[in-house]
Amino acid sequence: MEQLESFERLCLNQATTQRWNLREAVEGCVRAGIPWIGLWRNKIAEIGLKGSRQLVRDAGLRVSSMIAGGYFPTVSAAERQKRLDENRRAIEEAAELEAEVLVLVGGGIPDRDIDCARKCVAEGIEQLVPYAKSYGVKLGIEPLHPMYAAERSVVVTLAQANDLAKSYRPDEVGVVVDVFHVWWDPDLYHQIALAGERILGFHVSDWVVPFSHFLLGRGMMGDGVIELRRIRKALDAAGYQGPIEVEIFNQAIWDQPGDEVLAVIKERYLEHL
Amino acid sequence: MEQLESFERLCLNQATTQRWNLREAVEGCVRAGIPWIGLWRNKIAEIGLKGSRQLVRDAGLRVSSMIAGGYFPTVSAAERQKRLDENRRAIEEAAELEAEVLVLVGGGIPDRDIDCARKCVAEGIEQLVPYAKSYGVKLGIEPLHPMYAAERSVVVTLAQANDLAKSYRPDEVGVVVDVFHVWWDPDLYHQIALAGERILGFHVSDWVVPFSHFLLGRGMMGDGVIELRRIRKALDAAGYQGPIEVEIFNQAIWDQPGDEVLAVIKERYLEHL
């Protein structure tokens, strides 16, 4: 489809309206006619799992994904076990909230050995798969931008995420494509085509020039240099028809009233996706 | 070689001692016994081309490279011609200063079309090669970190730089490997081996955690997570025996007395390279 003509695939990731708690975000989505929501574990924890489930279900929203599990590399066996336990809880919560996907963020480098950290990620996923499967939760590996390799994710390209996923069935492990993290990649379109049915999520925002903040530098769609429509069409061609999730970390956007932000999102969504 | 045992390959890139003019940097290198220097065009302009050449020659220093040419993508034909002229001047200056290599930085995205910008880079290099050859100057394509893709260089991986270089002879166009820009790349060691005799430069610094500044976040070798010795050995194995150039953009380091910075560089060089 050349342009999107409805909001049926539009999804609000809670990170975009950071000041809203889950109740406010759910009510905001209902007011704006946004049918999907992406949930963060810290926001769920504020309200509690049962209450969160009820809120989302009563509003008739669908949950794109729960964010985040992963963060596998550690230096101690004790810490490793702790993170495995935490990931299992994240899977249980994702299942409870009827999120089809738990987004996995690789984790950073604990001790100047990037290969070892990458091995930890592969092993961590291997350990989680049977547990996720038993709960009916898919694992979506989200490569992060290389500027986060040291601190957040040693998985930095879609090629890596595809490689990690391919040992498993597509209904077990897939990938999440976030434009902010992957737009620069000369191999992007090839890897999107390769990912095919493994694409479990699509996050959108923009890369604004001049870049202003290491963590909060993401912009509203259309404010930057990312070819959003081209990437969306590549995902369409690869067979992805799931939610298009707006995830923007940006203090100025957080400081605006949520309803106004959602109105701009809807406008930009039709214009740029 | 497992460890480096002398300073014969050590090179000071002028960016590391930002407060020093060329004369001060040359004198600093002589005092510290650093045999190589990497020159910036703006620092040469302060002193003048002839005076700069005399200073470097009288001190007996060798010039690793001149920085920088490139910045090819533009939206207007007039601006394009202006940049081509500027690149020709950079080649002339590199030849005058007996720098074997002119470092090329690709340039950013003028109009939300990354493929077009990348094509501009390829065409720009093609236009420059005969001119550079006639002056005996090699062109060294330096991929920058993907976080600079929008504003500084659409060439973001060593694979891309190798691809761009391979249409030319190794004595015409090669690549410059800067650890800060490429350390995160899952394909790094493979691409270093592929680059082989095309490696025309090796820049070192470190990626410090937590990352502190988009432009000035580079750290002293050993202060971050980059596996410096492993990368240096990979370059050795690929056949590179040229200068190892310390290029650190960091306000705290700039604020220290240059001689102290050079002393730390020498210590860290033996310890980490």
Side-chain angles (χ1 to χ4, degrees):
Chain A
M1 199 184 302
E2 185 52 38
Q3 285 186 247
L4 298 172
E5 279 158 8
S6 80
F7 298 112
E8 63 185 357
R9 295 174 66 190
L10 181 55
C11 178
L12 176 70
N13 182 298
Q14 285 193 276
T16 307
T17 50
Q18 197 64 248
R19 291 189 176 193
W20 272 351
N21 62 26
L22 180 65
R23 177 181 299 276
E24 293 163 326
V26 163
E27 290 171 358
C29 283
V30 169
R31 279 194 300 276
I34 294 175
W36 291 89
I37 190 163
L39 303 175
W40 278 72
R41 293 190 68 209
N42 59 323
K43 295 279 188 186
I44 299 302
E46 286 170 8
I47 299 219
L49 193 57
K50 288 227 166 72
S52 296
R53 181 183 56 178
Q54 202 61 46
L55 270 172
V56 173
R57 196 179 277 177
D58 289 352
L61 295 182
R62 294 177 69 184
V63 179
S64 59
S65 61
M66 161 144 272
I67 300 159
Y71 299 98
F72 298 107
T74 63
V75 282
S76 78
E79 181 62 26
R80 197 167 181 177
Q81 184 58 46
K82 208 172 124 191
R83 298 206 188 172
L84 180 60
D85 294 344
E86 196 57 44
N87 274 307
R88 287 187 171 145
R89 276 197 292 279
I91 287 168
E92 293 160 16
E93 291 173 19
E96 183 78 14
L97 288 157
E98 297 172 30
E100 273 188 72
V101 181
L102 173 67
V103 174
L104 295 184
V105 172
I109 304 173
D111 56 357
R112 207 188 277 169
D113 185 342
I114 197 167
D115 285 354
C116 179
R118 283 171 173 157
K119 200 161 152 257
C120 279
V121 176
E123 290 169 355
I125 292 170
E126 193 181 358
Q127 284 188 295
L128 281 188
V129 169
Y131 199 75
K133 209 174 164 183
S134 73
Y135 276 85
V137 172
K138 294 178 188 173
L139 301 175
I141 305 166
E142 180 177 350
L144 299 197
H145 194 285
M147 69 186 175
Y148 302 129
E151 295 174 73
R152 282 173 176 70
S153 173
V154 290
V155 181
V156 291
T157 63
L158 191 51
Q160 267 184 294
N162 279 336
D163 276 349
L164 284 163
K166 75 180 178 199
S167 313
Y168 308 96
R169 293 170 30 152
D171 61 352
E172 294 170 346
V173 180
V175 300
V176 174
V177 178
D178 183 316
V179 296
F180 180 83
H181 295 307
V182 301
W183 71 277
W184 56 271
D185 187 350
D187 202 29
L188 176 61
Y189 296 96
H190 174 233
Q191 292 296 332
I192 287 174
L194 275 186
E197 62 177 334
R198 287 192 191 276
I199 301 170
L200 299 181
F202 179 34
H203 294 185
V204 297
S205 61
D206 214 333
W207 185 285
V208 178
V209 171
F211 189 71
S212 62
H213 193 289
F214 190 60
L215 294 174
L216 306 181
R218 300 193 201 191
M220 180 62 70
M221 296 85 74
D223 285 348
V225 300
I226 301 179
E227 294 170 283
L228 293 164
R229 180 159 296 155
R230 181 181 179 199
I231 297 174
R232 192 266 301 162
K233 286 169 72 180
L235 267 81
D236 282 2
Y240 181 72
Q241 282 302 322
I244 298 173
E245 185 163 344
V246 179
E247 184 183 50
I248 309 177
F249 294 84
N250 180 310
Q251 192 64 53
I253 289 176
W254 290 350
D255 290 344
Q256 290 164 32
D259 287 329
E260 290 177 22
V261 172
L262 267 47
V264 176
I265 283 174
K266 289 172 68 179
E267 196 183 298
R268 299 296 183 88
Y269 177 80
L270 294 183
E271 195 178 343
H272 294 283
L273 265 311
Chain B
M1 201 185 298
E2 185 51 39
Q3 287 185 247
L4 298 172
E5 280 159 8
S6 80
F7 297 111
E8 63 185 357
R9 296 176 64 191
L10 182 55
C11 177
L12 176 70
N13 182 297
Q14 284 193 278
T16 307
T17 49
Q18 197 63 248
R19 294 192 172 189
W20 272 351
N21 62 25
L22 180 65
R23 177 181 298 279
E24 292 164 326
V26 163
E27 290 171 354
C29 283
V30 170
R31 279 194 300 275
I34 294 175
W36 290 89
I37 189 162
L39 302 175
W40 279 71
R41 292 190 69 209
N42 60 323
K43 294 279 189 187
I44 298 303
E46 286 170 8
I47 299 221
L49 193 57
K50 290 229 165 75
S52 296
R53 182 183 55 175
Q54 201 61 45
L55 269 173
V56 172
R57 196 179 277 179
D58 289 350
L61 294 183
R62 295 177 67 183
V63 179
S64 59
S65 60
M66 160 145 274
I67 299 160
Y71 300 97
F72 298 107
T74 63
V75 282
S76 78
E79 180 62 26
R80 199 167 180 178
Q81 185 58 47
K82 207 171 124 190
R83 296 206 190 173
L84 179 60
D85 294 344
E86 195 57 46
N87 274 307
R88 288 186 172 145
R89 276 197 291 281
I91 287 168
E92 294 159 16
E93 291 174 18
E96 182 78 14
L97 288 157
E98 298 172 31
E100 271 187 72
V101 182
L102 173 67
V103 174
L104 295 184
V105 172
I109 304 173
D111 56 357
R112 210 189 274 167
D113 186 341
I114 196 168
D115 284 355
C116 179
R118 283 171 172 157
K119 201 162 150 256
C120 281
V121 176
E123 290 169 356
I125 292 170
E126 193 180 358
Q127 284 188 292
L128 282 188
V129 169
Y131 201 75
K133 211 175 160 181
S134 73
Y135 276 85
V137 171
K138 296 179 188 174
L139 301 176
I141 305 165
E142 181 177 351
L144 298 197
H145 194 284
M147 68 187 177
Y148 302 129
E151 296 172 74
R152 282 173 176 69
S153 173
V154 290
V155 180
V156 291
T157 63
L158 191 51
Q160 266 184 295
N162 279 336
D163 276 351
L164 284 164
K166 76 181 176 199
S167 313
Y168 307 96
R169 292 170 32 151
D171 62 354
E172 293 169 347
V173 180
V175 300
V176 173
V177 177
D178 183 316
V179 298
F180 181 83
H181 295 306
V182 301
W183 72 275
W184 55 271
D185 187 350
D187 202 28
L188 176 61
Y189 296 96
H190 174 232
Q191 293 296 334
I192 287 174
L194 275 186
E197 62 178 333
R198 287 192 191 276
I199 301 170
L200 299 182
F202 179 35
H203 294 185
V204 298
S205 61
D206 214 331
W207 185 285
V208 178
V209 172
F211 189 71
S212 61
H213 193 288
F214 191 60
L215 294 175
L216 307 182
R218 302 194 198 188
M220 180 61 70
M221 298 85 77
D223 284 349
V225 301
I226 301 179
E227 295 170 282
L228 293 163
R229 180 160 295 157
R230 183 181 176 199
I231 297 174
R232 192 267 301 163
K233 285 168 72 180
L235 267 82
D236 283 1
Y240 180 71
Q241 282 301 320
I244 299 174
E245 184 161 344
V246 179
E247 184 184 50
I248 309 177
F249 294 83
N250 180 308
Q251 192 64 53
I253 289 175
W254 291 349
D255 290 343
Q256 290 164 32
D259 286 329
E260 288 177 23
V261 172
L262 267 45
V264 176
I265 283 174
K266 290 172 69 177
E267 194 183 298
R268 298 297 183 87
Y269 178 80
L270 294 182
E271 194 178 345
H272 294 282
L273 265 314

